[in-house]
Amino acid sequence: MDLLTIKNVHKTYRLDRIKVPALTAINLHVRSECFTVLSGASGSGKTTLLNLIGGLDTPDQGEIVLDGSPLGSLSDDECADFRLRHIGFIFQNFNLLPVLTAYENVEYPLLLTRAPAAARKARVQDLLEAVGLTQHAAHLPGQLSGGQRQRVAIARALVVAPKLVLADEPTANLDSHTGDTIIALMRRMQRDCKASFVFSSHDPKVLAEADDAVFLSDGRIVEIKRNNEVAR
Amino acid sequence: MNTLTLALRNLMRNRRRSLATLFAMMIGGICILLFGGYIRNIVYGLQTGYVRGGGHLQLQHRDYALYGSGDPTAYGIADYARVMDAIKRDPVLAPMLTVVTPVLSFGGIAGNFDAGASRTVMAIGVVVDDQNAMARWNDYGFPGKPDVMALTGSGPNAAVIGSGVARVLQLCAPLHLADCPPPKIEAASIGTALPGDVSALAAADVAPVASRTDQAQIELLAATTSGAPNVARLHVIEAQMQGVKEFDDVYVGMHLPQAQRLLYGSRMPQVTAIVLQLHHTDQIPQATARLEQLLKTTFHGLPLAVNDFRELNPYYGQTLGLFNAIFGFIAILIISIVLFTVGNTMNAAVVERTVEIGTLRAIGLRRSGIRALFVSEGLLLGALGAAAGLAAALILAAIINHSGLTWTPPGRVTPVGLHLRVWGETGLLLGTAFVMLTVATVSAWWPARRAARLAVVESLRHV
């Protein structure tokens, strides 16, 4: 069953007077509870596509339907609410709020949903335990290693139990060993939480973990491999 | 973790910048409060002086203000004893009153026959005990004992004159008035000098005119109700500096019965005003309304009007207006500085935290949430700045008030302690705090709006 449908999406950026096509005629189906990787060289349009899927940007043409909701029809506030409840984000640079502890960073999206205090506490503690950071709950991001920060970011992305988690090059700023650990963790969390993960990455190890792999080049989809074809 | 907590933590991130902003706000708050406290003290001092001297309200002939100074006897209150009695017994007015007393003001010519000097004066006849009671009014808690009238316990023909009157009438020596040299008599510029024995004889005849008698006396000439001149010989017991030179040069104070005898002789005596002093200045509207009601009922037919001390002393309102204008100018200046300081701080915060703004928006915070976050930071800066400013101003005011510094306020001739009324001035304190809070919040609003309008993708890309 498809969680996400992308129909004929085009996106062009303007650099002064020059139009730079970022995405051209993108058509894609992302299955539920799958680990999907967008792969391609730098400038191929991976991040642009992730931004459009996450409702952070709008396509010039085409439609993106997530869990039955066409994102283009949502107002700015509705889109923010939609992101809050249905989409989790993991960034290359972790993007944790530096003034909040690990616990508070994970808790923050739940505060926005006005979840009850007891439910918040239980959910945050569960997730911190799942990512192995119970002992570091009171630490500020500045007191954590890169791998630990990304674990906090993973917990934050999953805290509202979203149907879709978007991760933009999540291992790019980590060393190889930590990157492997983070990929394994995300894979485990994806299965445990029954969420769909969409990555942008050109890391072969990430591709090896993918259920589906989408290859982009110059803003176009050049190939799609389904059902863990890459690993096989 | 609510928005305010997050805002507070964000302020703590760049402590040096936040402290610099707070310091600027604190200085602004101190300036506004100390200057406001200084003005309050001047205004209360002026008000206290006027209320002690002329009460809060005066009942006068309705045309006295226009024509009375030229012919006071024609604009007097004939039945003043009945009017005063009715006022004192009135159940609405009585609880508000401290003193009800008659006064008689008139113009005349005061002369010192022995010195061959005279001048026009403004005389006022008063009930001394009532005036002493009025001088005890101290609603604003000024330090020091109230002045007792020099006429207290004096004989019926006693008088007190302004030092300017004493100088012109050459009464400085018998009244032991300091800084009051006798007038220089210029030598004739034409002709030969007088022989030595003749000039010595002339000098002996002119110089010590005032010392011929132990008592300083003046003759006061005034027009009676019939227009005929009448003269009273008054024993001057003291010359007092009256603060304002124009008044000091014409003032003659005397007992009311003596003044009435001079103007009315054996006829029914009158007064030019009935003075009412209230417990508190804010009772003026209520007392005025009641008096106007009485004028239409109990005193129907009497040509009287009610004036409060502000109408009788336009200088008070002018001083108030001047100080308010200066205060307003300074306040606007300080508010502008605070506005730009906080705005600059918030703008810098928006630039530094652009990626964070993008992250928050991506997570699901609405634009309004971003706006609320930055406005809250401005609000907190305002609250902390106002609190620090208030505390510092109170401490500084206390130090200055106990430092022994003195100054001579307008309308006074002697220096008084420099007192800044900040403590207890709830309106001033809350007003300043409110203005600082508002200014800080408003100055944070534009940067907050800018932050909220940032494109999420652009924010996340920001380096």
Side-chain angles (χ1 to χ4, degrees):
Chain A
M1 187 183 169
D2 293 338
L3 173 72
L4 173 71
T5 306
I6 300 170
K7 297 176 191 167
N8 193 31
V9 160
H10 293 251
K11 181 70 183 178
T12 303
Y13 290 114
R14 283 176 183 275
L15 293 174
D16 295 324
R17 292 181 181 177
I18 305 164
K19 288 184 179 178
V20 181
L23 293 174
T24 307
I26 300 292
N27 289 285
L28 180 66
H29 298 272
V30 174
R31 294 182 295 149
S32 292
E33 298 178 29
C34 269
F35 209 65
T36 303
V37 175
L38 306 178
S39 187
S42 182
S44 61
K46 303 187 297 291
T47 301
T48 302
L49 185 55
L50 274 183
N51 288 338
L52 294 178
I53 294 170
L56 304 179
D57 205 354
T58 51
D60 299 330
Q61 188 187 322
E63 189 180 36
I64 297 170
V65 180
L66 178 57
D67 198 26
S69 297
L71 297 185
S73 66
L74 302 176
S75 69
D76 193 78
D77 280 349
E78 286 170 340
C79 199
D81 293 345
F82 190 85
R83 284 197 299 269
L84 174 63
R85 293 176 191 281
H86 300 290
I87 306 173
F89 288 89
I90 299 168
F91 301 96
Q92 182 179 335
N93 293 318
F94 326 124
N95 289 23
L96 300 177
L97 299 178
V99 293
L100 303 186
T101 62
Y103 181 97
E104 289 164 341
N105 262 291
V106 177
E107 186 190 29
Y108 191 76
L110 286 176
L111 286 167
L112 297 180
T113 63
R114 301 180 192 281
R120 286 202 312 263
K121 189 176 178 184
R123 178 72 177 153
V124 174
Q125 283 177 341
D126 282 353
L127 278 167
L128 284 176
E129 191 178 343
V131 298
L133 284 176
T134 306
Q135 301 298 317
H136 297 82
H139 289 201
L140 290 169
Q143 298 165 322
L144 299 172
S145 68
Q148 287 169 329
R149 288 183 209 181
Q150 199 58 301
R151 285 164 187 263
V152 175
I154 292 166
R156 181 179 67 181
L158 289 166
V159 76
V160 293
K163 291 182 177 165
L164 178 65
V165 174
L166 303 175
D168 188 9
E169 309 253 12
T171 58
N173 279 354
L174 300 172
D175 62 70
S176 173
H177 173 69
T178 309
D180 292 348
T181 314
I182 289 296
I183 293 297
L185 173 67
M186 286 201 284
R187 187 62 164 145
R188 177 165 61 82
M189 297 298 286
Q190 179 263 321
R191 284 178 182 142
D192 291 350
C193 298
K194 297 188 183 344
S196 292
F197 271 52
V198 178
F199 282 66
S200 72
S201 180
H202 48 253
D203 185 345
K205 290 174 187 171
V206 177
L207 277 170
E209 283 290 333
D211 293 319
D212 296 342
V214 179
F215 295 90
L216 289 136
S217 177
D218 296 330
R220 293 175 185 273
I221 294 176
V222 292
E223 189 181 6
I224 299 175
K225 290 185 177 178
R226 301 277 183 192
N227 301 315
N228 210 8
E229 283 179 60
V230 177
R232 281 187 272 126
Chain B
M1 175 61 56
N2 55 32
T3 304
L4 275 178
T5 314
L6 186 56
L8 183 64
R9 290 199 195 173
N10 281 325
L11 287 179
M12 303 279 279
R13 274 161 85 168
N14 198 327
R15 288 183 191 178
R16 188 180 296 176
R17 190 171 59 210
S18 296
L19 281 174
T21 310
L22 279 179
F23 190 68
M25 294 186 72
M26 191 177 80
I27 296 291
I30 289 171
C31 290
I32 291 175
L33 285 170
L34 292 191
F35 190 61
Y38 173 70
I39 290 175
R40 289 286 166 109
N41 197 53
I42 292 174
V43 171
Y44 290 160
L46 272 177
Q47 189 188 123
T48 300
Y50 285 129
V51 170
R52 283 176 177 175
H56 286 98
L57 298 168
Q58 289 193 12
L59 274 177
Q60 295 175 338
H61 189 288
R62 63 178 169 234
D63 294 327
Y64 179 79
L66 296 174
Y67 312 110
S69 60
D71 188 4
T73 54
Y75 297 94
I77 306 169
D79 206 6
Y80 71 92
R82 183 178 72 85
V83 175
M84 284 175 55
D85 190 48
I87 289 170
K88 285 177 184 171
R89 284 191 287 104
D90 184 78
V92 178
L93 287 171
M96 291 189 271
L97 297 170
T98 55
V99 178
V100 181
T101 186
V103 294
L104 175 58
S105 303
F106 59 97
I109 298 171
N112 179 359
F113 177 78
D114 290 336
S118 66
R119 69 150 301 141
T120 53
V121 292
M122 179 55 68
I124 180 165
V126 296
V127 178
V128 173
D129 288 344
D130 288 348
Q131 293 293 323
N132 283 334
M134 289 218 300
R136 287 194 285 274
W137 190 85
N138 194 13
D139 213 22
Y140 299 111
F142 279 93
K145 290 180 179 175
D147 293 334
V148 177
M149 276 199 98
L151 286 173
T152 305
S154 62
N157 68 334
V160 173
I161 59 175
S163 60
V165 177
R167 190 172 55 248
V168 172
L169 298 185
Q170 299 180 34
L171 290 168
C172 295
L175 293 171
H176 309 293
L177 201 61
D179 301 325
C180 181
K184 290 176 183 172
I185 301 167
E186 289 186 16
S189 58
I190 303 170
T192 54
L194 285 172
D197 55 343
V198 176
S199 63
L201 196 61
D205 191 42
V206 172
V209 282
S211 61
R212 285 180 186 163
T213 172
D214 291 339
Q215 290 192 339
Q217 291 192 328
I218 59 170
E219 296 79 34
L220 183 58
L221 172 68
T224 63
T225 48
S226 60
N230 195 9
V231 177
R233 177 168 280 259
L234 300 172
H235 169 213
V236 181
I237 56 173
E238 193 172 323
Q240 288 180 328
M241 190 77 86
Q242 297 299 313
V244 181
K245 184 178 185 304
E246 288 74 12
F247 189 52
D248 190 53
D249 285 348
V250 295
Y251 174 74
V252 175
M254 58 202 293
H255 292 283
L256 178 65
Q258 184 75 347
Q260 289 175 322
R261 240 190 327 275
L262 177 63
L263 261 63
Y264 299 100
S266 58
R267 296 184 185 191
M268 177 70 80
Q270 298 185 13
V271 294
T272 50
I274 295 170
V275 174
L276 284 78
Q277 193 186 60
L278 309 172
H279 286 291
H280 308 293
T281 302
D282 59 12
Q283 292 171 323
I284 287 178
Q286 197 189 346
T288 305
R290 179 58 183 164
L291 281 169
E292 281 172 349
Q293 194 182 1
L294 290 176
L295 289 178
K296 290 175 186 164
T297 54
T298 312
F299 309 140
H300 183 67
L302 292 178
L304 299 178
V306 188
N307 298 300
D308 69 32
F309 76 96
R310 290 167 292 215
E311 294 164 329
L312 295 167
N313 303 287
Y315 178 71
Y316 177 78
Q318 290 163 354
T319 307
L320 212 65
L322 174 70
F323 277 122
N324 282 341
I326 296 171
F327 181 75
F329 178 74
I330 289 175
I332 287 171
L333 212 63
I334 290 167
I335 285 167
S336 304
I337 293 168
V338 170
L339 195 83
F340 285 108
T341 307
V342 176
N344 190 41
T345 298
M346 298 312 298
N347 269 321
V350 170
V351 172
E352 279 177 9
R353 283 156 51 197
T354 300
V355 175
E356 207 174 300
I357 292 164
T359 306
L360 286 168
R361 293 276 291 127
I363 286 173
L365 188 63
R366 292 180 174 194
R367 288 186 196 277
S368 56
I370 297 288
R371 217 164 25 234
L373 180 62
F374 282 92
V375 168
S376 298
E377 289 178 29
L379 184 78
L380 278 175
L381 269 177
L384 293 171
L390 260 61
L394 285 167
I395 292 167
L396 275 173
I399 292 170
I400 291 168
N401 292 344
H402 289 91
S403 65
L405 292 171
T406 60
W407 75 297
T408 307
R412 290 192 69 118
V413 287
T414 51
V416 297
L418 178 62
H419 192 83
L420 307 177
R421 284 180 185 264
V422 181
W423 179 259
E425 292 299 320
T426 315
L428 180 67
L429 290 166
L430 290 181
T432 305
F434 176 75
V435 166
M436 291 181 76
L437 265 178
T438 308
V439 167
T441 308
V442 166
S443 48
W445 198 84
W446 279 105
R449 183 172 174 269
R450 193 164 65 84
R453 290 163 72 98
L454 286 172
V456 183
V457 173
E458 296 300 322
S459 305
L460 289 170
R461 276 196 207 128
H462 184 83
V463 180

